[in-house]
Amino acid sequence: ELKVEQNPLFLSMQEGKNYTIYCNYSTTSDRLYWYRQDPGKSLESLFVLLSNGAVKQEGRLMASLDTKARLSTLHITAAVHDLSATYFCAALRPSNYQLIWGAGTKLIIKP
Amino acid sequence: DSGVTQTPKHLITATGQRVTLRCSPRSGDLSVYWYQQSLDQGLQFLIQYYNGEERAKGNILERFSAQQFPDLHSELNLSSLELGDSALYFCASSVNPSGQETQYFGPGTRLLVL
């Protein structure tokens, strides 16, 4: 059964620092998604990673996928307050194409 | 704005009651997904419809049901409501049924059962 684990679940950091959120999944998955959720708001798609070694970047966020290690990372560079949100990863279950979600990482960036 | 709309935004009701949540997908999207987000369970997939037909079922209770209409909007019906059903309910849509494409989420309906 596909399970997705994120860590850390909570992260408080200073502006200007770098940090990485990790997303591990337990069995084979075809693709990996990252979403952002602001408090009380909807989920916004950030990245879709399709293959081993895939790397995508948007502004201060960079996501990568290592299918052999069953690991995706979301790296934040020189964090700014506006990036404060909860970040979710989700893996696609190949058998029925359902998204299996991680618990989310709540990121607080202090000025 | 994802282009997915959901109504109502907020709903307060009592235990034992029945409510209907409505979702309109993005223009051109044929697939609709329903999710429940609660503090203790996280984000849970409930059910998926594609072009009017049920495509996949997740952790949906028997008290809950859904349908997708010919105009592609979808409704999620929650009956015999319990306190534990209080949650944020999201609808998402995508073009194809495979789930391999990005799902675009609506703003959600916040349900409070008292």
Side-chain angles (χ1 to χ4, degrees), chain A residues 16-19 57 59-62 75-80 83:
Chain A
K17 299 291 187 182
N18 303 331
Y19 210 80
Q57 183 163 4
R60 301 174 187 272
L61 300 177
M62 184 175 70
H75 186 73
I76 302 146
T77 302
V80 293
L83 290 179

Side-chain angles (χ1 to χ4, degrees), chain A residues 64-108:
Chain A
S64 65
L65 178 63
D66 181 344
T67 57
K68 293 180 181 177
R70 295 178 186 155
L71 171 68
S72 180
T73 60
L74 181 66
H75 186 73
I76 302 146
T77 302
V80 293
H81 179 67
D82 287 351
L83 290 179
S84 297
T86 298
Y87 293 86
F88 290 91
C89 66
L92 188 68
R93 181 190 283 162
S95 59
N96 61 3
Y97 297 116
Q98 283 184 32
L99 287 185
I100 307 300
W101 295 81
T105 297
K106 185 171 184 178
L107 176 63
I108 295 176

Side-chain angles (χ1 to χ4, degrees), chain B:
Chain B
D1 185 356
S2 67
V4 179
T5 61
Q6 289 186 247
T7 56
K9 288 186 179 179
H10 303 277
L11 202 47
I12 302 175
T13 189
T15 55
Q17 295 298 305
R18 172 190 169 94
V19 297
T20 297
L21 313 183
R22 182 187 168 105
C23 167
S24 292
R26 292 188 320 158
S27 177
D29 284 359
L30 301 178
S31 201
V32 169
Y33 309 78
W34 285 98
Y35 290 90
Q36 179 194 61
Q37 186 178 36
S38 61
L39 285 175
D40 56 343
Q41 298 276 345
L43 196 60
Q44 299 279 325
F45 166 72
L46 295 178
I47 197 164
Q48 177 197 0
Y49 279 81
Y50 175 72
N51 205 20
E53 299 290 326
E54 182 183 304
R55 179 79 177 184
K57 253 184 179 179
N59 302 321
I60 189 166
L61 299 172
E62 287 191 7
R63 300 184 285 109
F64 296 180
S65 65
Q67 53 184 328
Q68 185 179 28
F69 296 86
D71 67 353
L72 301 178
H73 91 271
S74 178
E75 292 181 356
L76 178 67
N77 301 296
L78 314 176
S79 62
S80 303
L81 284 167
E82 301 174 0
L83 296 178
D85 297 327
S86 296
L88 196 51
Y89 291 84
F90 286 109
C91 164
S93 75
S94 66
V95 173
N96 290 322
S98 69
Q100 294 180 315
E101 299 175 343
T102 297
Q103 295 179 22
Y104 294 90
F105 281 73
T109 293
R110 186 173 296 277
L111 173 66
L112 180 59
V113 182
L114 299 176

